[in-house]
Every structure is written in structure tokens, then in C-alpha cells.
Amino acid sequence: MSFAISNELRARLERGGPILALTGAGVSAESGLATFRGPGGMWEGRDPMELATPQAFAADPETVWRFYDWRRKQAAEAAPNPAHVAFAALEQGRDSFRLVTQNVDGLHERAGNRDVLRLHGSLWRLRCLGDCEEHDNLELDLGPLPPRCACGALLRPAVVWFGEPLDPAVLHRAEQFAEEADLVIVAGTSALVYPAAALPEIARLAGAYVVEVNPETTPLSERADVHIAGSAGAVLPRLVEVAGIA
Ligand code: OAD
């Protein structure tokens, strides 16, 4: 696949300023994980209001858990792809690289990123509806669903559901990264879900150059400085190369 790299993008990749990456489900598509929207997406034939809201969980925790248990198993079977590997190389090669993701699958971490700001939480963390601490859990057999905490209360996946606010500290950090960024790489997101979708705009207003990597156009495409219409797995390794990171 061939695509042009503008002089401005090349200059910003080379000059070592703060780079912010904002990723979405499309970055994991080449690992075999379905995106949410569009044909074949996870929300096709499924109602997010019945699977990804606190109300749905209160009404039917078993059904909600079956969905998340399935997603944990799918994510565990998937492997990081060249886009994930490229983001890990950027983190290792640049002190001022920041990764903010909407993904909950853990593939960025498995590719080697140590500092992932997870806007929407993680499939691999569980939250007790009682008073116990939220904790990591990588087990693929959670036993009978819905799983319960040692204290007896229900456990839920520590992900952000529709109608729930993002962790204010996490959002604040993401907004700070956006304000400080010299270059923003937005990859694999439909740019429809807020507040994540506002980050590129915050960055642009603060002077950053915004590049979107997505085979399709999105509401961001015409506001970004450049839209590279390619897959993240093909484009990101090339950007890493231009940044001079081996
Ligand atoms: P979406 O499913 O909305 O969008 C995925 C985007 O990835 C689309 O624009 C695709 O064109 C693009 N895409 C597909 N394959 C790609 C590839 N190989 N390389 C690059 N891009 C590709 O997923 P998100 O934008 O992540 O929230 O969705 C945002 C949020 O909505 C999710 O975090 C989730 C969902 O409902 C919650 O669950 C709170």
C-alpha cells in the first residue's frame, strides 16, 4: 500500500516534540477483533443499551457478563498486530510519546506499551459492587456468571458503559496531553463517541498537527490536517520509520 507523507507530518515526526496517539477499535481489527460500528461490527444485531449500560447490568447481569466473558476470550485469543507494535516502538523511542486508547482489549499493553491511558477502562479489571478494591483479573474461566467478589457482592467489568462518566482524573490527563501535543495520531476510531472524540480538536486548537489513520472517512476527516486512508497495521510502521525509530 502506498500513501504520501506530507512535509509537515514528516517534520513533526522527525523533530521529537510530544506525540499523542488516540486509538480506537479499528487498531485491533487486524488482530481479528470486531469493531463496534459498521457492517460486521459488534453493535450489528446487538443493542448496546441491553449490553453496555448500568441499567442493563442491574436488570440482567448474566446476559451482560456473557457478552463481556465472550469479549475477554476473543481478546485473549488475539495477538497484537503491527499497529500495536508500532505504538510500543514509539513509546520506547520517544520520552514524550503518550498513548490514549478507547480500547479495553489489553492489546496495547501486550504489545509492550507500559503507560496506556485507558479512557474506557479494561476488560481485564473487575469492580466489586460492594466496597472492595477494583482489581486485575486475567482468568479466562470466571466460573458461573455473573461472577461474585469474595465479599459476596456482584463483580462487573471495569469498563465505561453508555451513560457513565469517564474517570475525571483520566480524562483530565488525556486533555492535558492533547494541549501539550505537537502531533496527534488518531487511528482506528469512528470519532463519534465523546469525550474521546473531542481530544483531537482540543489538540488542534492548541497548535498540534492532527493526522487521522482510517480506511474510511469520519467526522474528524475534514477537520484533521491529514487523513491517511489506510489501515493502521500498514500505516503506523511507516510513521515509526519516518520518526527515525528503529
Ligand atoms: P468504532 O467501531 O466506532 O470505529 C472503528 C473505526 O475503525 C471505524 O471508523 C473504521 O473505519 C476504523 N477501522 C477499521 N479497520 C481499521 C484498520 N485496519 N485500521 C484503521 N482503522 C480501521 O470504534 P471506536 O471509535 O473505538 O465505547 O468506538 C468508540 C467507542 O464506542 C468504544 O470505545 C466503545 C464503543 O461503543 C464504549 O464501550 C464506552
Side-chain angles (χ1 to χ4, degrees):
M1 187 198 137
S2 86
F3 54 90
I5 298 213
S6 71
N7 290 340
E8 184 66 23
L9 174 56
R10 179 178 295 277
R12 301 241 184 178
L13 282 166
E14 285 173 354
R15 77 186 182 196
I19 299 178
L20 166 66
L22 172 65
T23 65
V27 160
S28 295
E30 288 158 273
S31 294
L33 297 181
T35 59
F36 293 95
R37 296 172 180 80
M42 238 174 321
W43 295 146
E44 190 180 61
R46 289 192 186 91
D47 182 354
M49 295 304 125
E50 286 176 12
L51 295 170
T53 63
Q55 293 78 6
F57 188 75
D60 188 352
E62 186 186 333
T63 297
V64 171
W65 256 114
R66 263 194 266 118
F67 177 61
Y68 282 92
D69 188 51
W70 169 74
R71 287 181 58 193
R72 282 164 66 102
K73 290 185 167 108
Q74 296 264 307
E77 277 170 21
N81 68 57
H84 296 107
V85 172
F87 286 119
L90 280 168
E91 185 183 272
Q92 277 143 31
R94 284 286 171 83
D95 291 340
S96 57
F97 174 77
R98 308 292 191 187
L99 178 61
V100 176
T101 189
Q102 297 168 87
N103 296 347
V104 295
D105 54 34
L107 288 179
H108 280 306
E109 292 85 342
R110 282 172 53 201
N113 283 95
R114 295 278 159 261
D115 193 9
V116 183
L117 193 63
R118 294 185 292 241
L119 293 176
H120 294 164
S122 170
L123 289 174
W124 305 108
R125 285 180 70 76
L126 303 182
R127 189 180 305 148
C128 170
L129 294 196
D131 293 325
C132 304
E133 290 276 304
E134 186 177 302
H135 59 276
D136 288 337
N137 177 307
L138 302 179
E139 281 168 47
L140 286 182
D141 183 359
L142 290 171
L145 300 177
R148 286 187 180 269
C149 181
C151 75
L154 277 181
L155 287 165
R156 62 163 274 183
V159 297
V160 177
W161 281 329
F162 289 101
E164 293 185 317
L166 270 59
D167 177 333
V170 169
L171 180 59
H172 180 70
R173 242 182 119 206
E175 286 170 348
Q176 255 177 344
F177 294 161
E179 277 162 19
E180 291 162 8
D182 182 48
L183 171 65
V184 181
I185 302 169
V186 184
T189 175
S190 57
L192 289 169
V193 174
Y194 283 79
L199 295 171
E201 196 58 21
I202 292 172
R204 223 175 57 84
L205 290 172
Y209 190 78
V210 175
V211 51
E212 178 184 48
V213 180
N214 194 319
E216 309 291 335
T217 55
T218 74
L220 176 66
S221 306
E222 57 183 30
R223 299 199 302 270
D225 293 288
V226 187
H227 170 219
I228 300 178
S231 78
V235 176
L236 264 300
R238 176 83 183 106
L239 299 187
V240 168
E241 216 175 276
V242 173
I245 295 165

